[in-house]
Amino acid sequence: MSSFIYFSANFNLSVKTLIVPVVSTANVSQLAADLLISTLSLDRVAIFDPQFCVPVAGARDDGLKGITVPLELYGKSGVDVVIVQQRSSVLKSRKEEFVSSLLEFIDSSNFETVLFLSGVDLSDRTDAQMFTTTFHIIPNKRHALRSPSLENITSLSIPVYTSPVLQRAEEGLEGSSAPIPFIPGGGLTRRILSALPETWSTPTASLLQFALEGDNRGDARLLAAVTLKVVGLDVSVNEWKQPKSWQVGLFGAPHDQSLYG
């Protein structure tokens, strides 16, 4: 496992909740992770092996020395949440290896709960899904009895996600009677959840947000707010702290208004 994650200092992951944004529609999950990291003032505590992702490097949002890389882990002592931030897609040829390494890391780290965040293509939403934009999947219902976060999903009345696309009965989670529904625009979300073995012991769920490509800062705030409520940390809207990179890097520099007369 040491070949997959590299810590900058000793940091205990045991009994923490891990939040993993999956690259998906509108990048809403990564934007939500940005908000959570900034609002909770989390620090980068580790980086993951970047060989699985499209190469990317840039300045760090916190202004510290060093560079941003494709996969990073953020946390802080005294906060029971750690968050992965993924800044580029997994290479097509490395998907299986990435999923296997990620699940091995999770399984060996003794997390209390794991939440995968994902976007879903809004254009595929059914009439029955028009009343809310946030849904959930719990692959193994037995885990809901052992995790406060998964219990919160039920108490918050977050609907169960069902696929807007008809599926064959045999499609779904290998080694389990509970199928994982098709997720349009969901990236690797379904692949990850479908790869969980029957012996998987870490309580796991996915929060899914319907969205369209565009200015998705509002979608990100909603998904981040729901995520905080699920993990038991409630931050009011007035306390959201946007990362510095959103000010100039999210949509590029403002246009010169003189261009429009």
Side-chain angles (χ1 to χ4, degrees), residues 90-163:
V90 175
L91 295 165
K92 185 177 181 179
S93 61
R94 308 301 297 274
K95 289 180 180 179
E96 292 296 336
E97 293 175 84
F98 171 73
V99 170
S100 177
S101 296
L102 176 63
L103 294 183
E104 183 183 348
F105 158 68
I106 293 171
D107 190 45
S108 65
S109 298
N110 192 33
F111 289 112
E112 179 183 84
T113 307
V114 178
L115 286 177
F116 292 97
L117 308 183
S118 175
V120 190
D121 191 343
L122 185 67
S123 62
D124 286 299
R125 190 163 57 163
T126 65
D127 289 347
Q129 294 169 329
M130 294 291 182
F131 297 100
T132 184
T133 58
T134 309
F135 292 79
H136 83 271
I137 296 173
I138 299 179
N140 191 329
K141 300 299 183 183
R142 291 174 297 178
H143 291 166
L145 302 176
R146 298 193 291 107
S147 168
S149 293
L150 300 195
E151 289 180 355
N152 288 340
I153 290 177
T154 302
S155 64
L156 291 170
S157 300
I158 301 172
V160 175
Y161 174 79
T162 56
S163 176

Side-chain angles (χ1 to χ4, degrees), residues 163-214:
S163 176
V165 179
L166 292 177
Q167 297 172 264
R168 296 190 302 271
E170 64 269 18
E171 291 183 335
L173 181 64
E174 296 179 6
S176 172
S177 58
I180 300 300
F182 177 64
I183 306 170
L188 294 180
T189 305
R190 187 173 186 242
R191 185 188 291 258
I192 293 170
L193 298 180
S194 296
L196 300 179
E198 186 69 18
T199 56
W200 186 257
S201 59
T202 305
T204 301
S206 179
L207 294 176
L208 304 103
Q209 178 89 16
F210 278 102
L212 287 176
E213 299 286 349

